[in-house]
Structures are given as C-alpha cells and as structure tokens.
Amino acid sequence: MNRLFGTRKAAAPTPTLNDAILSTDARVSAFDVRIKKLEGELTGYRDKMQKMPEGPGKQTIRQRALRVLKQKKLYEAQRDQLMQQSFNMESAVIATENMQNTMTTMRTMEQTTKTMKSQYKSLNIDKLYDIQDDMEDMLEQAKEVQELMGRSYNLPDDIDERDLEAELDALGDDFNYEEKVPSYLNDAMPAMPELLPEAPQGATQQPADGGRPGDLARAEPALRM
C-alpha cells in the first residue's frame, strides 16, 4: 500500500516568532546590499554629469540616475517596513518571555505558600511555649544544684564581719616585719675591721730617728687583716 499511495509526509513544524525574526532580518540585509549597489551607481552618474557639458548626453545620464534613485527609494521603503516588522516581533517575543517568567514566579510562590501552610499546620505553638518553659525550669534547677555544690561547711553562722576585721588587724601586731639578711649574703661578706683607737695628743709628732709612732706601728697589723 505504501508503494502505491506513498507515505504521509510529516507536518512541518510551526514557525516561531524567532524564526520569523531571523527571516525578516535576512531580507533586510538583502535590501541593504541592493541599496549599497544603487548608491554606487548614483555616485558614478554624479561624477559623469559633473564632467559633461549641458546637452542631450548629460540629460540621458540624468534620466538614468533618476530611475536608480527611484529604485533606491523603493528598496529603502521596503527595508524600513521589514525593520519595523522585525522590531514588532522582537517586542512580542520580549513580552511573551516576560509573561512566562511572571507565570513561573507565580507558580513558584503558590507552591511555596502551600508548603509553608502545611508546615505551620504541623507546628503546635502551645507545645513550643511548654518546651520553652520546661527549659527555663531546668536551667533554674541546674543553677540551684551548682549553688548547693559550692556550699561551705563547718563554719559558724553567727560570725560578725567586724569581728573578723578586728582579728585580722590584731594579727598584724604579732608578725615580725624586720628584714633579715639572707644567710648566703652573710657568708659572702668579709669581716669588718675594728675601729682604730684615737691617737694621743703627742702621738702625731714623729721621733727624731724618723721611725713610726708607737701607736701606728701597733695598729699596722690590724690594718693588714
């Protein structure tokens, strides 16, 4: 059967706005090429007319230039129309994309709202308050336990702070605050020599033989120590 009647061809995909924009832009580019070509011809005709004297030949060139100029104006009008169509389609694409983004955002917000409502339904506010109160009570009990563990024992309850201060002041009188020289300093210090006796009044005179006074001679061994 397929050989006799053939197979049905697959339907061509429906063109999108982006496809239409690409096609329109291609036509605009083709018109730009044609317009550039006509502008080159017009430039050549202008240069020729500037060099030619007035007469039938120059008039013929002028007529050709006018036909090219009319064709150029027609191409420019069609190009501008296609450019406007392309702009309108691009605006439609932008509006469609914005609408799709808005719909996506709205669906996301709707789903998020449903999820939050479902979660709040399973949340018991009163139970949360009870948990907070229980936690506060446990913290108070823990503080009380710490205070009990830090209690001091075997201390009289009727101790007066003023009596304690007076006893502390009295202890200061019993302490000996005289500074003592350490033993290692005593061992290292040499013995101080004894003071020399005062010389008599007549001992300052030297004997006639040039010798030392008797008292100074006796004190010499003590100085050598």
Side-chain angles (χ1 to χ4, degrees), residues 152-156:
S152 300
Y153 299 98
N154 296 328
L155 289 178

Side-chain angles (χ1 to χ4, degrees), residues 80-95:
D80 294 342
Q81 188 176 12
L82 290 174
M83 290 177 65
Q84 184 63 39
Q85 292 178 5
S86 178
F87 175 76
N88 293 337
M89 288 186 291
E90 288 179 353
S91 299
V93 169
I94 293 173

Side-chain angles (χ1 to χ4, degrees), residues 21-73:
I21 292 172
L22 293 175
S23 177
T24 304
D25 290 342
R27 294 178 63 188
V28 171
S29 299
F31 277 112
D32 285 335
V33 173
R34 294 178 185 179
I35 292 171
K36 282 289 184 182
K37 182 179 179 182
L38 294 176
E39 287 177 351
E41 294 181 7
L42 288 174
T43 302
Y45 291 147
R46 184 193 60 189
D47 295 339
K48 288 181 180 180
M49 287 188 296
Q50 289 178 353
K51 297 177 182 179
M52 294 175 65
E54 294 293 336
K58 186 175 182 179
Q59 190 65 27
T60 303
I61 297 299
R62 184 185 295 275
Q63 294 296 325
R64 292 178 183 176
L66 288 175
R67 288 196 299 268
V68 173
L69 183 59
K70 289 179 181 179
Q71 189 175 5
K72 176 177 174 293
K73 292 294 183 181

